[in-house]
Amino acid sequence: MHITFESPNQPEVIALIADLDAYHLTLYPPESVYALDLNALMQPEVKFAVARDVEGVIVGCGAVVLSPEYGEIKRMYVQPAARGQGLARRLMDTLEQAARDAGCPLMVLETGPSQPEAIALYQRHGFEHCGPYGGYPDDPHSVFMRKELR
């Protein structure tokens, strides 16, 4: 499997993101799903990583929104059939390097309490719990995490 930065405006990526949205809506009410749409993912401050299997099929993705204050992880997803191979860790490494290269002093993310596997991944990657950041409300369906990059 390999990971590269690509445009999210591809039919396979759009389908993968639709799977992610459908999954999130089984766990949380719609008003607690803070997802970026395709237009937001295509902005110049967003680096969108795509993971492909050996046949070139897209099996995972993740994005980092870069700003002078922080890099925010968004749209992390690995298809269930591709899990357990370290792909999410590799996606996180790729996104973190992009944030470092952009000079971000901090990485942040918002996930949910019904995703303990994701929370464990982020903790293994050095993220710690924090309060809401940016424009996020203090939502009981949100878990906020951060990691210093300096």
Side-chain angles (χ1 to χ4, degrees):
M1 293 201 202
H2 66 279
I3 298 170
T4 56
F5 289 110
E6 300 182 21
S7 170
N9 193 12
Q10 303 176 56
E12 281 183 287
V13 173
I14 293 167
L16 186 71
I17 290 172
D19 289 347
L20 174 58
D21 288 342
Y23 172 65
H24 280 155
L25 291 173
T26 69
L27 300 174
Y28 309 108
E31 65 274 10
S32 293
V33 176
Y34 304 104
L36 296 181
D37 64 15
L38 182 62
N39 185 54
L41 290 171
M42 294 183 60
Q43 297 307 303
E45 68 274 9
V46 177
K47 300 282 285 181
F48 190 83
V50 172
R52 293 178 181 270
D53 67 13
V54 294
E55 286 86 31
V57 176
I58 295 174
V59 294
C61 65
V64 60
V65 181
L66 304 168
S67 75
E69 295 82 31
Y70 51 73
E72 181 181 11
I73 300 297
K74 299 295 287 183
R75 292 303 198 172
M76 275 291 297
Y77 186 63
V78 175
Q79 289 182 325
R83 293 180 187 161
Q85 303 173 47
L87 192 51
R89 178 189 48 78
R90 290 181 51 213
L91 278 164
M92 286 297 296
D93 289 343
T94 300
L95 297 172
E96 180 176 327
Q97 189 58 54
R100 285 182 187 281
D101 291 348
C104 295
L106 175 72
M107 288 184 71
V108 294
L109 62 87
E110 181 272 339
T111 188
S114 297
Q115 296 171 270
E117 297 87 358
I119 293 169
L121 166 73
Y122 300 139
Q123 287 174 324
R124 285 191 307 273
H125 210 79
F127 282 78
E128 299 175 344
H129 291 268
C130 66
Y133 59 89
Y136 288 99
D138 190 5
D139 185 335
H141 297 287
S142 290
V143 173
F144 300 98
M145 302 181 84
R146 62 182 277 148
K147 176 182 179 176
E148 297 283 338
L149 295 181
R150 292 189 176 164

